[in-house]
Amino acid sequence: MTPEHKQDFKQKFIHKFENELRSVSKNVHTVVMSSEHFHSRLRSEAELDNVYNLLSAHFDEIKIVCYLREQVSMCTSFYSTHMRNSGTESFAKFLQRCHPENLYFNYYEMLENWGRCFGFDALEVSLFSPKHFLNGDLLDDFTAKIDVRLVGKLNKLVDAENESLRPLGQALSRAINIALPATSERLEIGELRARSKKIIIEKFTGKGQQPALKVRQKFFESFLDCNEELRKKYFPTVETLFETPVEAVLTESAISKTDFDALIDVLSVFKKYIDEKSDADLYTSLCSAISLCIGDATKSGSDVTEFSNEVILQEKDAYLFRSAAKRMEKDNLGAAVRLLRLASDLRPNWTAIQSQLDDYRQRSLKAQMPRFMIAYHGGPKVMTPSIKDIYMRFDAWLASLNVPFGGHLISANDSKSVDHHGLVVDIDADRMVGYSIIEADSMDAVLSLVKNCPFLEADGTVRISQLEYLTGGW
């Protein structure tokens, strides 16, 4: 969106907002506004001043009502919202946002900003916990802050919205976001996204992925200082704001047959579209993304990285992955192999899986597409907010690649060069930072793909080589 488009949107929004206020009945004494963007988007003093100037022109009194929950709990809940929208990060990477330097999670600094702009007397800050709610009920507590006469008057028999997604639902949503980016200008892509997300939201509500206990404890400890400042200023009578995590938060570990049927429903939406449009590449992209995202969601927090999540699958789920692989093998052999490897990880001693994997390998060798190495050279040495944004899009781009084996990006660290005299020297600024091995129809197809690689925006260079596996010498 260009600056001109932003300014035009801002003016139209203000005009529409003011018209809506003018249409409000004279009997209305309080207007309630609620938006997650008040928390996530308003960070600087200038942004808050804009909101204050807009509201103060229409209201005699402004009250800021804010409920706070323990940071890691909020982050894990927010991940489902992120996936329901357009997020492409794995849960492990998303968790890395949760640190005191991020104002979204540093409640003390966030409230200080709002207090400096609207006045600290305008802040109504509470803890998001039933034991702190009036009557143990959030709606009673919230309405009491507006007008005590409203307590118990609201209709509470309404369907919950924006509920969390279970782990498989999060993985499928992420795959949809990778294969069908929200930024696409193709109308049919938007329709496919909406239909697929509708199935996921209907079929996969529940508790999402959770950090391993040791990871949760580490994050909790990182907020001790700022949370103590928060307690002293806003909750001086409360002894402890948030309870120290002492046990893992469990999720439903097994994938049920219903979950598997829902996965097939999502794939069926794509199959119907592909039959009509002959867009097989889109189906391949989706299957590849599903394999990647389910694989990321099943990694163990004990032996992958300190930011990984708990294992969410059980041994019996290997049967479902094997069945899914057999359904997929004709349309996308590479994705079938990745699903079967997941089954093998869950049941490493199951000989039927190993036999099927061997069969897939032989078939893959016979009908193998040309393979190419995409090498990434150079790039920035200092990480800035703009570079972080580029790297987030680079991650999504990598996840969309048709990778026949291994990771989507193989990192090249601590590189050295050896000359013909045997001298070892450091690599220059054009060092290779990593590479990907992909399958594609031709060099032209890879060149077309690479032209949209976000790594180029970070002053990086991308080099492509077609690979040929030699059985003998030169």
Side-chain angles (χ1 to χ4, degrees):
M1 183 179 288
T2 65
E4 291 76 16
H5 286 147
K6 290 182 179 179
Q7 185 62 26
D8 183 58
F9 172 82
K10 179 180 177 180
Q11 293 301 324
K12 288 180 178 177
F13 172 82
I14 293 175
H15 180 71
K16 184 177 180 181
F17 174 76
E18 291 179 337
N19 282 342
E20 186 173 352
L21 287 181
R22 281 192 284 268
S23 68
V24 173
S25 168
K26 299 297 183 181
N27 297 326
V28 173
H29 60 76
T30 302
V31 174
V32 179
M33 302 178 193
S34 175
S35 171
E36 291 182 353
H37 294 321
F38 286 145
H39 179 196
S40 61
R41 299 295 179 86
L42 301 178
R43 307 290 186 91
S44 68
E45 290 187 18
E47 291 168 336
L48 287 168
D49 284 342
N50 286 337
V51 175
Y52 177 80
N53 292 334
L54 176 64
L55 298 181
S56 61
H58 300 280
F59 300 102
D60 297 325
E61 180 185 0
I62 301 173
K63 179 185 289 188
I64 311 298
V65 178
C66 178
Y67 287 90
L68 307 176
R69 65 190 299 185
E70 189 268 323
Q71 281 89 349
V72 182
S73 295
M74 187 183 70
C75 188
T76 56
S77 175
F78 183 33
Y79 184 67
S80 279
T81 301
H82 192 55
M83 291 302 103
R84 288 165 66 115
N85 294 323
S86 57
T88 58
E89 293 175 295
S90 68
F91 179 63
K93 185 161 187 177
F94 187 83
L95 273 178
Q96 296 179 40
R97 301 181 177 204
C98 190
H99 55 80
E101 288 71 37
N102 185 343
L103 281 181
Y104 189 85
F105 297 99
N106 190 323
Y107 302 147
Y108 178 78
E109 292 296 338
M110 181 265 291
L111 290 172
E112 289 294 286
N113 283 345
W114 281 87
R116 281 191 290 266
C117 183
F118 286 84
F120 288 95
D121 290 341
L123 302 184
E124 183 84 43
V125 187
S126 303
L127 296 175
F128 189 81
S129 170
K131 70 178 183 180
H132 294 289
F133 297 156
L134 176 66
N135 303 328
D137 185 279
L138 175 60
L139 286 179
D140 283 355
D141 194 80
F142 179 70
T143 50
K145 297 180 189 305
I146 301 171
D147 187 335
V148 70
R149 293 171 296 179
L150 295 175
V151 175
K153 300 293 180 64
L154 296 184
N155 176 18
K156 300 178 184 179
L157 299 177
V158 294
D159 294 331
E161 295 184 4
N162 198 26
E163 292 184 273
S164 292
L165 296 172
R166 298 201 307 279
L168 182 58
Q170 292 175 335
L172 291 179
S173 283
R174 181 185 170 211
I176 295 296
N177 295 337
I178 291 171
L180 306 174
T183 54
S184 175
E185 296 181 357
R186 296 168 56 186
L187 293 178
E188 65 269 26
I189 293 297
E191 293 174 2
L192 275 175
R193 274 180 62 88
R195 291 168 62 191
S196 303
K197 289 293 186 75
K198 185 175 185 293
I199 295 172
I200 293 170
I201 291 170
E202 288 177 351
K203 302 292 181 68
F204 291 100
T205 57
K207 187 178 288 295
Q209 298 174 67
Q210 300 294 322
L213 178 58
K214 65 177 182 179
V215 177
R216 193 180 193 92
Q217 290 171 332
K218 181 172 182 178
F219 281 120
F220 182 87
E221 291 168 1
S222 71
F223 287 97
L224 288 177
D225 290 341
C226 61
N227 281 347
E228 177 59 15
E229 289 185 279
L230 178 74
R231 186 196 67 79
K232 288 179 180 178
K233 182 163 186 176
Y234 295 96
F235 305 95
T237 62
V238 176
E239 185 175 344
T240 303
L241 291 187
F242 310 117
E243 297 296 330
T244 304
V246 293
E247 59 183 22
V249 180
L250 300 179
T251 59
E252 298 177 24
S253 56
I255 297 177
S256 67
K257 181 181 181 301
T258 302
D259 291 341
F260 184 68
D261 291 340
L263 168 58
I264 298 303
D265 288 342
V266 173
L267 293 176
S268 296
V269 169
F270 279 77
K271 186 177 186 305
K272 182 179 179 182
Y273 167 79
I274 290 160
D275 290 343
E276 295 173 353
K277 305 290 185 180
S278 299
D279 194 350
D281 288 343
L282 184 61
Y283 192 73
T284 299
S285 175
L286 175 68
C287 292
S288 179
I290 287 176
S291 298
L292 166 76
C293 296
I294 292 179
D296 282 347
T298 59
K299 291 176 182 176
S300 167
S302 60
D303 58 7
V304 180
T305 72
E306 61 179 342
F307 292 111
S308 292
N309 51 305
E310 295 278 21
V311 176
I312 64 167
L313 297 177
Q314 294 179 349
E315 185 176 305
K316 63 183 180 181
D317 297 319
Y319 294 94
L320 292 174
F321 282 123
R322 185 189 181 208
S323 178
K326 291 184 74 66
R327 290 194 185 199
M328 200 175 289
E329 61 185 26
K330 290 183 179 180
D331 295 321
N332 190 332
L333 186 59
V337 169
R338 286 188 284 275
L339 285 173
L340 207 59
R341 284 175 180 161
L342 290 175
S344 180
D345 289 341
L346 295 170
R347 288 202 61 184
N349 298 322
W350 191 5
T351 56
I353 291 181
Q354 301 308 319
S355 175
Q356 193 173 335
L357 270 174
D358 290 339
D359 176 58
Y360 283 172
R361 291 190 186 100
Q362 293 301 319
R363 290 162 59 179
S364 179
L365 288 173
K366 291 179 181 178
Q368 191 178 90
M369 294 177 65
R371 289 184 177 178
F372 299 84
M373 181 177 75
I374 304 175
Y376 311 99
H377 292 257
K381 293 184 178 180
V382 179
M383 190 62 66
T384 65
S386 61
I387 296 298
K388 286 183 179 180
D389 177 68
I390 291 174
Y391 273 19
M392 286 176 61
R393 290 187 284 112
F394 183 37
D395 283 343
W397 184 85
L398 287 168
S400 70
L401 297 178
N402 182 20
V403 176
F405 58 84
H408 282 68
L409 174 65
I410 296 91
S411 178
N413 300 316
D414 193 25
S415 300
K416 301 290 183 181
S417 178
V418 180
D419 65 15
H420 68 285
H421 298 296
L423 296 176
V424 179
V425 297
D426 290 330
I427 299 295
D428 60 16
D430 196 32
R431 70 198 185 287
M432 183 174 75
V433 297
Y435 66 92
S436 306
I437 303 293
I438 72 166
E439 290 183 342
D441 292 328
S442 65
M443 174 64 81
D444 287 341
V446 183
L447 286 170
S448 177
L449 179 71
V450 164
K451 287 178 182 178
N452 296 316
C453 178
F455 185 71
L456 298 173
E457 300 175 33
D459 294 328
T461 302
V462 178
R463 297 174 185 173
I464 308 164
S465 303
Q466 184 165 352
L467 303 178
E468 181 179 355
Y469 298 98
L470 302 176
T471 55
W474 291 95

